[in-house]
Amino acid sequence: MRRSGHPTGAGLKDYRSYSFWLETCGDDLTPRPPLPSDLDVDVAIVGAGYTGLWTAYYLARSDPKLRIAVLEKEIAGFGASGRNGGWCSALFAASKEKVAARHGREAAVALQRELFNTVDEIGKVTAEEGMDVHYDKGGTLAFATSPAHVERLREEIQDERRWGFGEEDHRWLGPEEAAGRIAVRESRGAAFTPHCAALHPARLVRGLARAVERRGVKLFEDTAAVDLGPGGVRTLHGRVKAEIVVRATEGYTPTLPGFERAVIPVYSLMIATEPLPESFWSEVGWSRRETLTDGRHLIIYAQRTADGRIAFGGRGAPYHFGSRIEDRFDREPWVFAELRRSLVGLFPQATSARITHAWGGPLGIARDWYSSVGLDRRRGLAWAGGYVGDGVGTSNLAGRTLADLILGEDTVITRLPWVGHRSRAWEPEPLRWLGVNVALRTMSSADRAEARTGRPARRADLIRRLTLGG
Ligand SMILES: Cc1cc2nc3c(=O)[nH]c(=O)nc-3n(C[C@H](O)[C@H](O)[C@H](O)COP(=O)(O)OP(=O)(O)OC[C@H]3O[C@@H](n4cnc5c(N)ncnc54)[C@H](O)[C@@H]3O)c2cc1C
């Protein structure tokens, strides 16, 4: 089994080893040259994941004359954008209740509708730009494999109805209909939404890097920003002077001076099977490449890859004291074993399938679990992030919004209720470490209790509200 993060002998990192996706993206991962010397631009973007690159893309598309530089510490797609589950969903980290409590019901619904559009926007732009990202809009199936799951998932659909979303957006599939899509063991039905596409995450981020370069954006890899502030960015290779600086560093943000408590890096881990035989797929179905999850508290997520594997991920890895990020945290053998157990639990036919890849990476969580995008025009500082595990879609909306904000355009999307939102800082250590890890453990114990008793374990909802804000 390949595991992530092994440097090569020459002292260079083997970037392909950071995820199944980076290994199979078909792009040359040799870092582009670093910033050669001091530079003067209009917009400097720190971080070449989806957020940074979508922002560069929409800016360059709207105003080809703008001088834009993207500065990346490693290579484009090194972060979560090159490692994720490839769910291009319309999910938003904060609940509609939370958004509506601050901005009203209409604003919460408008944000949701724009996220629905965003799934299509990504399909459209990648097709226009000739990026083969294995985009397939098959929707999401959330399976119920216990009575507690049925109760929770059906409640969620009822809740969507109260927000005005109909059968075309969310509906319940009975056991037979659900099995007709994907044959999951002990399925009692599934909640279905069409608003999600499966894609190859690294093909998307690497394709975006090439698309922005074609539009004249300068992308410097192997260029770590050591400080960013009004007027520019200081790197190890020189200074970049810019009217606007965009912080697009998501889970890595706490490594920047002044942003230590802005978000926390929480690890999500994944495994991938070998390509599964036709006999498996004819038994299981899964012909529309729907993204798949179930009703448990500690999230799992899966997709059928274009080359016929199952890529399967989940949370549960511990948060590391002081928001530390290290390559070795991408590998938690017990989490990989747990993921394999869950996968085989849903698909016993995969019991003997080889797990060929295992990897992970940090995502970013704001203290109130409220993703945000904004521009402080006076200081010339912009940001976007705190997407938790929903950044594939949300980062595209962030990129479009930042482009409009930077260009001074007042549009429908610059009025959405996450624009300009400020989350409070996370607690200092050791409170942060204690709170987050207790929350993670409680959700996992609630899942075990529900599997045993079949009844909903409310402790998970309570602890999530208290510590993780969800
Ligand atoms: C295992 C996993 C599974 C996930 N699954 C899903 C999913 O299925 N669907 C979904 O919607 N979301 C998912 N997510 C979340 C999603 O991947 C992220 O929200 C999204 O990729 C964030 O993009 P980003 O560009 O903001 O951040 P990143 O992709 O993390 O990019 C940040 C970049 O900044 C660079 N950087 C950091 N510090 C510096 C510095 N000092 N100077 C210069 N550059 C710097 C990093 O090297 C990195 O390339 C998952 C995340 C993980 C880890």
Side-chain angles (χ1 to χ4, degrees), residues 321-334:
F321 194 88
S323 295
R324 276 197 343 268
I325 297 175
E326 293 180 24
D327 280 354
R328 67 192 167 96
F329 301 158
D330 300 349
R331 300 181 291 276
E332 294 281 358
W334 66 270

Side-chain angles (χ1 to χ4, degrees), residues 45-53 71-89 91 205 223-227 233 248-253 255-256 266-270 301 313-314 359-364 384-395:
I45 298 172
V46 179
Y50 301 141
T51 301
L53 293 170
L71 311 166
E72 165 57 49
K73 183 158 70 89
E74 306 272 354
I75 59 164
F78 173 78
S81 301
R83 312 185 197 191
N84 63 70
W87 279 46
C88 178
S89 75
L91 296 168
V205 70
T223 301
V226 289
D227 200 10
V233 183
T249 46
E250 189 59 339
Y252 303 88
T253 303
T255 62
L256 292 167
V266 168
Y267 280 77
S268 201
L269 269 52
M270 295 198 72
Y301 48 91
W359 71 96
L363 44 82
Y387 311 121
V388 194
D390 305 322
V392 177
T394 319
S395 60

Side-chain angles (χ1 to χ4, degrees), residues 131 140 192 201 204 234 237 242 274 278 363 378 398 408:
M131 291 183 222
T140 297
F192 174 72
L204 173 58
R234 198 159 54 82
H237 301 273
E274 62 186 329
E278 217 22 70
L363 44 82
R378 198 178 48 81

Side-chain angles (χ1 to χ4, degrees), residues 148-438:
H149 291 184
V150 174
E151 192 177 316
R152 190 152 52 244
L153 291 169
R154 296 200 78 145
E155 254 173 37
E156 281 174 20
I157 294 177
Q158 282 317 310
D159 198 44
E160 294 295 348
R161 294 283 178 276
R162 285 191 280 278
W163 290 98
F165 297 102
E167 285 274 308
E168 65 289 5
D169 297 315
H170 297 275
R171 68 191 159 94
W172 178 252
L173 310 185
E176 259 176 47
E177 202 182 347
R181 295 289 191 97
I182 308 178
V184 161
R185 191 176 72 118
E186 291 186 7
S187 159
R188 293 158 185 262
F192 174 72
T193 172
H195 299 294
C196 188
L199 53 72
H200 187 304
R203 280 178 164 261
L204 173 58
V205 70
R206 300 294 301 180
L208 271 175
R210 296 206 178 266
V212 300
E213 285 181 316
R214 283 197 297 274
R215 289 175 186 270
V217 172
K218 300 258 182 294
L219 169 53
F220 302 104
E221 295 183 327
D222 197 9
T223 301
V226 289
D227 200 10
L228 54 85
V233 183
R234 198 159 54 82
T235 79
L236 295 174
H237 301 273
R239 198 181 151 71
V240 179
K241 211 165 138 239
E243 195 184 316
I244 305 284
V245 174
V246 179
R247 169 168 58 78
T249 46
E250 189 59 339
Y252 303 88
T253 303
T255 62
L256 292 167
F259 298 98
E260 291 81 359
R261 293 199 276 139
V263 295
I264 54 165
V266 168
Y267 280 77
S268 201
L269 269 52
M270 295 198 72
I271 56 174
T273 66
E274 62 186 329
L276 298 169
E278 217 22 70
S279 54
F280 175 89
W281 297 113
S282 59
E283 207 177 315
V284 164
W286 211 340
S287 58
R288 300 185 205 177
R289 292 190 61 221
E290 296 92 335
T291 47
L292 176 147
T293 183
D294 68 13
R296 77 188 76 190
H297 292 287
L298 204 57
I299 290 165
I300 56 124
Y301 48 91
Q303 70 151 290
R304 173 180 177 170
T305 64
D307 67 346
R309 302 165 190 260
I310 298 178
F312 195 98
R315 307 249 182 89
Y319 160 78
H320 297 277
F321 194 88
S323 295
R324 276 197 343 268
I325 297 175
E326 293 180 24
D327 280 354
R328 67 192 167 96
F329 301 158
D330 300 349
R331 300 181 291 276
E332 294 281 358
W334 66 270
V335 178
F336 293 142
E338 199 54 51
L339 289 174
R340 186 175 175 283
R341 241 191 314 280
S342 300
L343 164 64
V344 169
L346 297 171
F347 301 108
Q349 308 91 327
T351 305
S352 57
R354 246 172 4 106
I355 302 297
T356 53
H357 297 76
W359 71 96
L363 44 82
I365 307 186
R367 180 63 185 88
D368 55 0
W369 275 45
Y370 203 122
S371 320
S372 67
V373 55
L375 165 66
D376 178 343
R377 170 75 64 187
R378 198 178 48 81
R379 302 176 68 215
L381 290 178
W383 78 92
Y387 311 121
V388 194
D390 305 322
V392 177
T394 319
S395 60
N396 172 279
L397 180 56
R400 285 187 280 141
T401 306
L402 282 174
D404 286 355
L405 289 171
I406 291 168
L407 297 172
E409 285 165 15
D410 178 8
T411 60
V412 173
I413 59 172
T414 61
R415 294 173 182 209
L416 290 173
W418 69 315
V419 179
H421 174 83
R422 301 276 189 174
S423 303
R424 70 177 194 275
W426 279 91
E427 288 78 357
E429 298 291 20
L431 278 180
R432 195 156 84 224
W433 180 83
L434 273 170
V436 176
N437 286 324
V438 165

